[in-house]
Amino acid sequence: MTYYLVPPDGNPPSIAPSLQSKKRGVGTSKASVNGTTDGATKAPYPYDTDAEPNNPTVIPRDVLGKFHFTFLIRHPRSSIPSFYRCTIPPLDEVTGFYDFMPSEAGYAELRRVFDYLLSEGQVGPKIAGQGESNGHVLSNGFTQEVEVCVIDADDLLDNPTGTVEAYCKSVGLDYDPKMLKWDTEEEQQQAKDAFEKWPGFHEDVMNSKELKARGHKKKAKCVKDEDSEWVEKYGEEGAKIIRETVEANMEDYEYLKQYAIKVE
């Protein structure tokens, strides 16, 4: 979802008008809203507002600082085919996504926001699940108690108990094994309500009742086998698009992966 905090198509960032903090006095106009500046309605982006130094998002630094960030990543070889499947028949009629846009993969945007928060001291320098801080002090001299907290989906599926327990420790929550189950009628409804805006994307979760370790760790396939599988499922053109998108996002994924929580 970080993709939606960063201007599209590589546009330079500027703060969303509705989030600007301005001092107003007698004779000044009322605060603007998104898509409107100085009373004139215009397209949502680009905004004719100021940018903050090094901030890649449309959200002010002080607002970002109110959140405790967790970064959930998934290997592109898994996430890209899954996303592509949601944009073609028959699932596109459920999701409402009728075009696959490689730019929406979001890895580059996630890395940019991650690096910004790290450089600003809003996360780190200690990395969750990787021992004590190495004593590194950021260039601005600021340190922060919020750990760098990255979870890889494969680690979560291989060891949900250990990963969620380590996550809770990082963010200051008391771990409870019940966190891995949503098997009551009330919890089932809560899950459905939470994902209501994204039909077709989370059906496996909505139709399940708990998160338990998969039987065997997922083995990486060779490129030839992956391509053959994708051709069979999505055709030659689909497989080509998926492969290109996977390769385009590998560097950013592997960069973020090095920060992932490690559980024995």
Side-chain angles (χ1 to χ4, degrees), residues 137-195:
V137 178
L138 302 173
S139 59
N140 60 8
F142 181 69
T143 59
Q144 175 63 269
E145 293 183 356
V146 175
E147 295 180 332
V148 173
C149 191
V150 178
I151 295 178
D152 188 287
D154 280 321
D155 297 334
L156 181 62
L157 292 173
D158 289 336
N159 186 354
T161 298
T163 302
V164 174
E165 191 169 6
Y167 171 76
C168 288
K169 181 179 179 181
S170 175
V171 301
L173 295 174
D174 293 326
Y175 172 73
D176 186 333
K178 293 180 181 178
M179 292 176 173
L180 302 179
K181 295 185 177 182
W182 46 95
D183 53 0
T184 67
E185 184 176 341
E186 180 182 359
E187 290 167 338
Q188 286 281 297
Q189 188 59 51
Q190 185 179 1
K192 291 179 180 179
D193 291 343
F195 294 120

Side-chain angles (χ1 to χ4, degrees), residues 114-136:
F114 176 88
D115 280 342
Y116 171 70
L117 295 173
L118 186 61
S119 68
E120 288 291 310
Q122 293 198 22
V123 299
K126 186 177 183 299
I127 302 173
Q130 295 195 25
E132 299 301 318
S133 169
N134 59 11
H136 174 65

Side-chain angles (χ1 to χ4, degrees), residues 15-16 20 66 117 120 146 164 166 168 177 199 205 218 231 251:
I15 300 302
Q20 277 199 313
K66 296 178 181 179
L117 295 173
E120 288 291 310
V146 175
V164 174
C168 288
V205 173
K218 190 173 185 178
V231 167
E251 181 181 347

Side-chain angles (χ1 to χ4, degrees), residues 8-102:
D9 304 320
N11 282 305
S14 58
I15 300 302
S18 62
L19 295 175
Q20 277 199 313
S21 177
K22 293 184 178 180
K23 294 182 179 179
R24 300 191 175 275
V26 177
T28 59
S29 61
K30 61 182 179 181
S32 60
V33 297
N34 283 344
T36 305
T37 53
D38 298 327
T41 300
K42 55 182 296 184
Y45 203 86
Y47 309 130
D48 56 355
T49 53
D50 295 329
E52 291 183 340
N54 303 317
N55 185 349
T57 78
V58 299
I59 312 296
R61 180 189 186 280
D62 60 342
V63 175
L64 291 171
K66 296 178 181 179
F67 294 89
H68 189 130
F69 283 88
T70 299
F71 300 86
L72 179 62
I73 58 175
R74 189 184 184 193
H75 200 295
R77 289 198 298 259
S78 298
S79 65
I80 301 304
S82 178
F83 183 31
Y84 185 86
R85 183 176 68 93
C86 291
T87 66
I88 60 173
L91 203 50
D92 58 351
E93 290 291 340
V94 179
T95 64
F97 281 65
Y98 297 97
D99 297 291
F100 176 77
M101 299 175 61

